[in-house]
């Protein structure tokens, strides 16, 4: 077959032998592939699966799912426990994690491209859920399906914390649920109790009220506190800045940062729509009205007395500023309490930090006639299933979704890496209740009074706008607000610019 | 002898007539030959090539190149034509609808697009001028150094790093809370309270510094290669005439470096128009769009907002302008060479 020199030292393989060897290898490969393939084919019908609880969990044994998620504690904790899920179901789940903008790009391409490389997705309410809602499976028909395992607590709104199921699972229609609440990041105020006590007398002498933080503390009070600390600092005292904003590169949290101030004053929202369900045709924006211009001005006033690095501080960076003791107060998401209370990473640990709801609206700043509320917003991460996947894979993914959002798993995550439960029953467990007080082994539980008992409830809770163009909307809000804070334009110019760009975005 | 050309001498040799052989004549003859041959029309001097079968030969070469051409067409031309088609559509992933030239007409009223161009020009100009200046300076120093090999290795290190990783490293160095460079800049009085990336007036400089840090070594490397080819006799002659080292550099070294510098300039110019990795990591275009150079806006439109049609239109305009600017640069910078010739 091949040329071989006459004096070759090796034995020549003839053509017949070569073909025999090739054929044998091919047969072995084929048989191996068939074996692997047969192993991963669903061998039972749903009817057979319904025969026992064990059969329901194991009906998709041999399947493989990929879950694309944000790099948050629940995903890491669940990855650590994934063997338990495999032992229970025989389903292999690969959990891939990345920063939210990257997750958004990857799942966006997968979903819109008609692919199902990622059968399970982390459905963060606005950045992922709002633009891609139509590409997720409606889970409602699977709830109560006798051929699938079910969570004994069920999936109705009342088993989750208030507004959670709607926040991450319902888009543009109340009838469909496309994701189950998987983790949560709800905003609240972190403040340095020790510094407040230390400077309380001076503050009281100047502003005529106590330096403290309660649910009735307003944004005007925050402005006063930030001004007070800045003056102290400028007078040469060794104190941190009073406040800092989330105005860095992450557009979504920048939008959330200003949304809290806007909503607190008269429950102002961007579009005249049901903010929690959202709309594909949101209509004309409210930006440009009198209330929005006034609030932008107040937001700018606050920025002027805040930490000077505002425009570089995204959520993570801002938390580092607080951990390092460079600010006395921040509005931050409750999942960060674990890092704040870690003495190896934080100067604000050891009982120095107090937790309170987001600041309330200042009545004298309200021009639209609405109430003053504690504008609290959030990011509720759901777990959703890619509609492009086969029916069997969708059902297999459902099994993982209900397992990963179950009470026991959430409890383990809370104990382990510091998760943020979404089921009420987790918080009702005796040791979680006890963990709400210091000393605690579950530092996130220190925030639960402010978050679960107050901030996420109506009328304080604000979510939207859920619109298909959510990501461009976030970017516009972030860049225009940053222009205001960097003195490139006035509050009125900012509001008008947002009005024109958002109306253009929504084609109205 | 003066009028005797190479052809004439070759003819005389063929006829058995002796030709001059002393050293002076040889030198003289060489100069005479080169001048006349270059000045003559090609037909008069060139010997006719051995005749092959041109048709068969072309076909043969085409078959040899065909696989490469087909692969190239698939990986390059096919996407390029799709890009053009997409730019004429209201395209999303999986769905598309013709909208004629709406994506293009929209660009003229899109302030983020127009600002993106201005920022890109500013960014490129800053990067290129700094990289060329520093790159040439370093190359000259390295060229005259005893530690050339060590220095080349050391200076090339930044280039070996993935741009996104470089961006992350510098993001930490610039960080206002724990960044070492932030502390240094503040201590030296260059910065106020805000970090370099937190101010609209300094953020652009922040991303330029990273680009200069990472890609100046490329200019240094190319220039160093050029310096090795500068004729020593010209340098020595100039020095004998009393020129200072600086004068020598300006009048001898630099003109000889011209072709390699042109290549380096073009490479970096085109890179600056398309590389966004480190800038994306460092600022994402912020704050307040102050670093949103056009490629970052293009990335945002295409992969954050998923407006692929709009993204394709932006990409095509970027491509066309890059090509035109590249051609203009070549013409402008190539002119002295033509004159010299």
């Amino acid at each position: 077959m091949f040329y071989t020199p006459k004096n070759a030292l090796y034995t020549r393989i003839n053509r017949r032998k070569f073909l025999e060897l090739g054929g044998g290898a091919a047969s072995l490969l084929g048989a191996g592939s068939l074996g692997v393939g047969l192993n991963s084919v669903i061998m039972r019908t749903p009817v057979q699966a319904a025969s026992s609880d064990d059969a329901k969990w194991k009906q998709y044994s041999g399947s493989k799912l990929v879950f694309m998620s944000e790099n948050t504690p629940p995903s890491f904790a669940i990855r650590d426990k994934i063997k338990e899920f495999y032992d229970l179901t025989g389903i292999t789940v690969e959990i891939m994690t990345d920063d939210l903008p990257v997750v958004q790009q990857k799942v966006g391409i997968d979903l819109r491209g008609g692919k199902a490389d990622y059968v399970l997705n982390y459905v963060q309410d606005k950045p992922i859920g709002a633009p891609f809602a139509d590409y997720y499976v409606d889970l409602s028909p699977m709830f109560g399906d006798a051929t699938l395992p079910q969570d004994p607590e069920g999936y109705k709104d009342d088993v989750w914390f208030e507004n959670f199921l709607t926040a991450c699972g319902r888009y543009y229609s109340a009838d469909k649920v496309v994701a189950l609440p998987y983790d949560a990041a709800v905003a609240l105020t972190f403040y340095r109790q020790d510094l407040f006590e230390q400077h309380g007398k001076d503050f009281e002498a100047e502003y005529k009220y106590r330096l403290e933080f309660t649910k009735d503390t307003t944004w005007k009070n925050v402005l006063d506190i930030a001004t007070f600390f800045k003056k102290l600092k400028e007078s040469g005292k060794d104190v941190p800045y009073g406040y800092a904003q989330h105005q860095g590169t992450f557009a979504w949290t920048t939008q959330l940062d200003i949304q809290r101030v806007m909503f607190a004053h008269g429950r102002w929202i961007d579009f005249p729509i049901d903010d929690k369900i959202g709309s594909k045709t949101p209509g004309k924006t409210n930006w440009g009205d009198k209330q929005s211009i006034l609030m932008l001005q107040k937001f700018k006033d606050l920025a002027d007395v805040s930490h000077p690095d505002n425009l570089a501080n995204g959520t993570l960076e801002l938390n580092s500023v607080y951990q390092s003791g460079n600010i006395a107060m921040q509005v931050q998401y409750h999942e960060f309490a674990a890092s704040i209370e870690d003495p190896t990473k934080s100067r604000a640990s050891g009982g120095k930090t107090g937790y309170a709801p987001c600041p309330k609206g200042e009545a004298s700043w309200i021009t639209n006639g609405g109430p003053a509320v504690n504008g609290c917003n959030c990011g509720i991460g759901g777990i959703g299933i890619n509609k492009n996947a086969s029916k069997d894979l969708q059902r297999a993914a459902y099994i993982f979704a209900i397992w990963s959002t179950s009470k026991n798993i959430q409890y383990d995550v809370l104990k382990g890496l510091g998760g943020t439960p979404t089921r009420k029953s987790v918080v009702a467990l005796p040791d979680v209740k006890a963990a709400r007080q210091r000393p605690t082994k579950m530092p996130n539980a220190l925030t639960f009074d402010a978050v679960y008992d107050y901030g996420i409830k109506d009328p304080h809770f604000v979510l939207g706008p859920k619109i298909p163009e959510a990501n461009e909307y976030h970017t516009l809000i972030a860049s225009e607000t940053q222009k205001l804070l960097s003195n490139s334009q006035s509050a009125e110019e900012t509001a008008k610019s947002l009005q024109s760009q958002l109306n253009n975005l929504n084609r109205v | 002898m003066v009028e005797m050309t190479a052809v004439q001498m070759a003819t005389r040799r063929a006829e058995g007539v002796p030709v001059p052989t002393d050293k002076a004549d040889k030198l003289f003859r060489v100069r005479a030959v080169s001048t006349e041959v270059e000045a003559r029309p090609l037909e008069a001097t060139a010997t006719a090539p051995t005749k092959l079968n041109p048709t068969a030969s072309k076909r043969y070469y085409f078959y040899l190149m065909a696989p490469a051409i087909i692969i190239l067409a698939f990986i390059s031309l096919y996407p390029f034509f799709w890009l053009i088609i997409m730019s004429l559509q209201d395209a999303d992933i999986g769905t598309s609808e013709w909208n004629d030239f709406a994506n293009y007409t929209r660009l003229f009223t899109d302030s983020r697009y127009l600002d993106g161009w201005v920022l890109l020009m500013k960014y490129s100009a800053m990067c290129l001028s700094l990289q060329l200046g520093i790159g040439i300076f370093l190359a000259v120093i390295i060229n005259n150094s005893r530690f050339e090999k060590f220095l080349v290795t050391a200076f090339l290190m930044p280039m070996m790093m993935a741009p996104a990783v470089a961006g992350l490293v510098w993001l930490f160095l610039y960080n206002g809370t724990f960044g070492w460079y932030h502390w240094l800049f503040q201590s030296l009085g260059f910065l106020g309270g805000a970090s370099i990336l937190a101010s609209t007036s300094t953020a652009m400089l922040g991303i330029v510094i990273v680009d200069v840090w990472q890609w100046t070594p490329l200019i240094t490397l190319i220039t160093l290669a050029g310096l090795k080819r500068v004729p020593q006799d010209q340098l020595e002659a100039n020095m004998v005439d009393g020129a200072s080292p600086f004068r020598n550099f300006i009048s001898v070294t630099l003109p000889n470096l011209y072709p390699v510098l042109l290549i380096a300039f073009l490479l970096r110019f085109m890179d600056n128009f398309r590389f966004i990795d480190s800038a994306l990591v460092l600022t994402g275009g912020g704050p307040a769009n102050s670093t949103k150079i056009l490629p970052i806006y293009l990335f945002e439109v295409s992969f954050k907002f998923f407006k692929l049609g709009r993204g394709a239109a932006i990409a095509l305009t970027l491509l066309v302008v890059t090509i035109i600017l590249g051609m203009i640069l070549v013409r402008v910078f190539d002119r002295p060479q033509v004159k010299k010739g």
Side-chain angles (χ1 to χ4, degrees):
Chain A
M1 182 184 167
F2 305 111
Y3 169 74
T4 311
K6 282 178 184 170
N7 58 350
L9 292 173
Y10 56 87
T11 314
R12 180 177 172 155
I13 298 174
N14 62 31
R15 186 178 305 188
R16 181 177 293 277
K17 191 74 180 170
F18 179 78
L19 289 172
E20 279 172 10
L21 284 170
S27 306
L28 275 174
L29 276 173
S33 308
L34 194 65
V36 172
L38 281 175
N39 196 32
S40 60
V41 167
I42 313 308
M43 300 300 285
R44 301 176 192 195
T45 65
V47 177
Q48 285 172 315
S51 60
S52 71
D53 266 355
D54 185 53
K56 284 179 190 173
W57 284 102
K58 289 218 182 294
Q59 62 184 306
Y60 294 107
S61 177
S63 304
K64 185 179 175 186
L65 305 169
V66 178
F67 175 25
M68 174 49 84
S69 185
E70 191 187 5
N71 42 13
T72 52
S75 298
F76 298 133
I78 286 173
R79 188 151 55 191
D80 289 346
K81 294 175 70 67
I82 205 70
K83 187 166 182 314
E84 279 181 33
F85 180 72
Y86 179 78
D87 293 341
L88 176 69
T89 63
I91 299 170
T92 306
V93 179
E94 185 186 346
I95 301 177
M96 299 171 77
T97 54
D98 219 319
D99 292 337
L100 190 66
V102 180
V103 175
Q104 181 207 33
Q105 287 151 24
K106 287 186 173 177
V107 302
I109 291 169
D110 196 44
L111 294 165
R112 294 194 173 192
K115 306 280 184 190
D117 290 343
Y118 311 119
V119 178
L120 287 152
N121 285 186
Y122 182 75
V123 185
Q124 186 65 268
D125 48 42
K126 285 188 286 181
I128 295 179
F132 309 130
D134 293 343
Y135 299 89
Y136 289 114
V137 173
D138 178 12
L139 303 176
S140 314
M142 294 183 184
F143 300 151
D145 184 335
T147 64
L148 284 165
Q150 300 295 345
D151 192 293
E153 286 185 3
Y155 318 95
K156 289 188 176 166
D157 287 81
D158 57 355
V159 304
W160 314 100
F161 287 108
E162 196 169 343
N163 290 314
F164 274 23
L165 186 63
T166 299
C168 72
R170 295 193 177 101
Y171 299 88
Y172 316 123
S173 154
D175 303 332
K176 282 165 63 177
V177 173
V178 300
L180 291 175
Y182 171 77
D183 79 345
V186 182
L188 77 156
T189 309
F190 295 54
Y191 64 98
R192 289 283 298 274
Q193 294 178 123
D194 57 329
L195 293 172
F196 276 34
E197 279 168 21
Q198 194 183 332
H199 300 287
K201 281 186 182 169
D202 293 340
F203 181 87
E204 201 173 332
E206 190 174 348
Y207 290 92
K208 312 298 177 207
Y209 64 89
R210 280 174 63 84
L211 178 55
E212 59 183 5
F213 211 103
T214 69
K215 64 182 173 54
D216 294 319
T217 301
T218 66
W219 280 104
K220 184 176 178 303
N221 300 145
V222 173
L223 182 59
D224 289 346
I225 297 168
T227 309
F228 170 76
F229 273 97
K230 193 178 182 197
K231 270 191 207 163
L232 279 185
K233 198 170 179 60
E234 284 173 347
S235 68
K237 292 212 170 153
D238 184 20
V239 290
Y241 284 93
Y243 188 71
Q245 297 165 314
H246 301 242
Q247 289 294 315
T249 56
F250 194 9
W252 176 42
T253 52
T254 301
Q255 181 266 332
L256 289 173
D257 197 40
I258 188 155
Q259 182 187 45
R260 288 186 279 269
V261 185
M262 305 295 294
F263 187 77
H265 296 88
R267 303 190 83 224
W268 186 97
I269 52 174
D270 300 68
F271 300 98
I273 57 172
D274 177 351
D275 211 34
K276 292 176 193 163
I277 295 288
S279 171
K280 289 185 178 177
T281 50
K284 285 192 174 175
T285 180
N286 292 327
W287 283 103
D289 66 13
K290 201 175 162 190
Q291 182 70 51
S292 66
I293 294 170
L294 178 64
M295 292 331 301
L296 281 172
Q297 187 52 56
K298 298 298 178 189
F299 194 69
K300 168 81 167 80
D301 293 345
L302 183 56
D304 288 345
V305 291
S306 294
H307 190 275
D309 225 17
N310 256 348
L311 294 179
N313 289 329
T315 295
L316 291 172
E317 294 83 7
L318 179 56
N319 198 52
S320 301
V321 175
Y322 185 82
Q323 279 177 298
S324 62
N326 288 338
I327 46 170
M329 187 170 43
Q330 65 166 342
V331 172
Q332 188 55 277
Y333 301 97
H334 76 307
E335 62 186 351
F336 285 98
S339 62
I340 295 295
E341 295 295 335
D342 182 347
T344 63
K345 293 179 183 168
S346 169
R347 288 184 182 174
S349 65
K352 289 179 186 164
T353 295
Y355 302 94
C358 292
K360 196 176 181 179
E362 165 64 33
S364 62
W365 291 356
I366 297 174
T367 62
N368 67 1
V373 295
N374 300 72
C376 293
N377 50 17
C378 63
I380 308 295
I383 182 163
I385 300 168
N386 188 331
K387 213 180 194 176
N388 303 321
S390 69
K391 288 287 172 205
D392 282 331
L393 282 180
Q394 288 179 13
R395 286 167 58 90
Y398 176 81
I399 294 173
F400 179 78
I402 61 162
W403 176 82
S404 62
T405 55
S406 63
K407 177 176 148 187
N408 289 342
I409 294 296
Q410 292 202 356
Y411 174 58
D412 288 348
V413 171
L414 176 63
K415 275 195 304 183
L417 291 174
T420 47
T422 56
R423 277 186 183 272
K424 282 180 182 169
S425 56
V426 180
V427 177
L429 290 167
D431 55 342
V432 179
K433 272 185 183 170
R436 288 180 171 213
Q437 305 298 324
R438 294 177 195 274
T440 179
K441 287 183 177 172
M442 301 176 202
N444 282 354
L446 295 171
T447 66
F448 290 173
D449 291 352
V451 169
Y452 294 136
D453 294 350
Y454 193 84
I456 57 158
K457 294 187 174 181
D458 292 324
H460 309 294
F461 180 76
V462 56
L463 180 66
K466 283 178 172 174
I467 53 173
E469 312 289 355
N471 291 314
E472 192 160 0
Y473 155 79
H474 294 149
T475 305
L476 287 172
I477 297 281
S479 52
E480 292 305 316
T481 311
Q482 287 172 349
K483 282 181 195 170
L484 168 72
L485 302 194
S486 58
N487 300 316
S488 304
Q489 59 191 19
S490 68
E492 189 167 359
E493 285 166 345
T494 304
K496 297 290 179 194
S497 172
L498 279 170
Q499 183 183 39
S500 112
Q501 291 190 71
L502 290 176
N503 286 340
N504 187 29
L505 177 69
N506 293 312
R507 298 173 184 180
V508 288
Chain B
M1 270 308 295
V2 177
E3 279 77 29
M4 190 181 288
T5 65
V7 177
Q8 286 169 328
M9 283 191 282
T11 314
R12 289 182 67 171
R13 272 199 202 97
E15 289 166 354
V17 180
V19 290
T21 53
D22 62 278
K23 198 178 176 186
D25 279 348
K26 266 185 189 168
L27 284 171
F28 184 75
R29 217 167 47 233
V30 169
R31 278 201 288 274
V33 168
S34 63
T35 314
E36 285 210 26
V37 167
E38 282 181 20
R40 267 183 195 195
L42 189 64
E43 300 80 19
T45 54
T47 317
T50 312
K51 199 170 184 181
L52 296 171
N53 180 346
T55 317
S57 175
K58 275 182 186 168
R59 198 179 298 142
Y60 175 69
Y61 291 130
F62 176 76
Y63 288 147
L64 280 179
M65 290 191 297
I69 291 171
I70 291 166
I71 290 169
L72 261 179
F74 267 100
I75 62 172
S76 174
L77 295 178
Y78 175 75
F80 178 69
F81 285 117
W82 257 114
L83 188 74
I84 295 172
I85 291 168
M86 265 172 31
S87 74
L88 300 171
Q89 294 178 329
D90 187 7
D92 204 328
I93 297 175
T95 58
S96 58
E97 198 175 288
W98 286 100
N99 69 355
D100 302 324
F101 291 95
N103 291 328
Y104 289 99
T105 49
R106 185 181 170 160
L107 294 182
F108 293 106
T109 55
D110 184 349
S111 61
R112 284 174 287 172
Y113 171 78
L114 300 171
D115 289 346
W117 270 118
V118 174
L119 290 169
L120 179 61
M121 294 300 172
K122 192 174 155 189
Y123 170 71
S124 295
M126 285 167 82
C127 287
L128 284 169
S129 51
L130 284 170
Q131 283 169 9
L132 275 177
I134 300 171
I136 294 169
F137 177 71
L138 288 177
V140 171
I141 288 178
I142 292 173
N143 194 38
N144 295 322
S145 170
R146 285 193 297 149
F147 308 107
E148 185 180 332
K149 283 183 182 170
F150 168 76
L151 288 174
V152 167
T153 312
F155 280 124
L156 286 188
M157 278 182 184
M159 236 170 67
M160 303 302 158
M161 197 181 275
V165 177
L168 281 170
V169 170
W170 280 83
L171 188 64
F172 281 106
L173 290 169
Y174 283 154
N175 187 287
T177 307
F178 47 77
W180 192 80
Y181 280 5
H182 173 73
W183 171 82
L184 184 71
F185 291 156
Q186 253 189 345
S187 306
L188 294 172
F190 296 147
L191 286 177
S195 62
I196 195 166
L197 301 178
S199 163
T200 49
S201 54
T202 55
M204 178 64 90
L205 185 63
I207 63 170
V208 167
I209 289 174
V210 178
D211 196 77
V212 169
W213 170 80
Q214 185 158 39
W215 296 109
T216 298
L218 180 70
I219 307 279
T220 305
L221 192 69
I222 294 173
T223 311
L224 195 59
L227 284 172
K228 304 287 179 200
R229 298 184 58 196
V230 175
Q232 289 300 308
D233 56 345
Q234 287 183 20
L235 289 168
E236 285 161 9
N238 218 26
M239 284 176 79
V240 168
D241 289 344
S244 66
F246 179 73
R247 180 72 204 166
N248 222 356
F249 177 77
I250 298 294
S251 57
V252 179
T253 308
L254 215 49
N256 277 292
L257 283 178
Y258 209 82
V260 289
L261 287 180
L262 178 64
I263 291 168
F265 186 82
L266 278 174
L267 277 175
R268 286 308 305 142
F269 158 73
M270 284 188 286
D271 281 351
N272 276 137
F273 266 51
R274 65 194 175 91
F275 273 6
I276 56 163
D277 314 40
S278 55
L280 201 61
V281 172
L282 285 162
T283 64
N289 291 350
S290 61
T291 59
K292 197 167 277 182
I293 53 176
L294 195 65
I296 291 185
Y297 183 53
L298 163 61
F299 172 81
E300 207 169 59
V301 169
S302 302
F303 300 110
K304 204 167 161 190
F305 311 153
F306 287 100
K307 302 290 176 202
L308 297 187
R310 235 167 92 197
I314 296 171
L316 271 174
T317 56
L318 185 63
L319 179 71
V320 169
V321 173
T322 308
I323 292 169
I324 292 171
L325 281 178
M327 287 163 69
I328 292 171
L329 283 172
V330 170
R331 280 184 75 89
V332 168
F333 288 99
D334 212 21
R335 200 164 288 167
Q337 282 259 314
V338 173
K339 278 179 190 166
K340 199 178 155 194

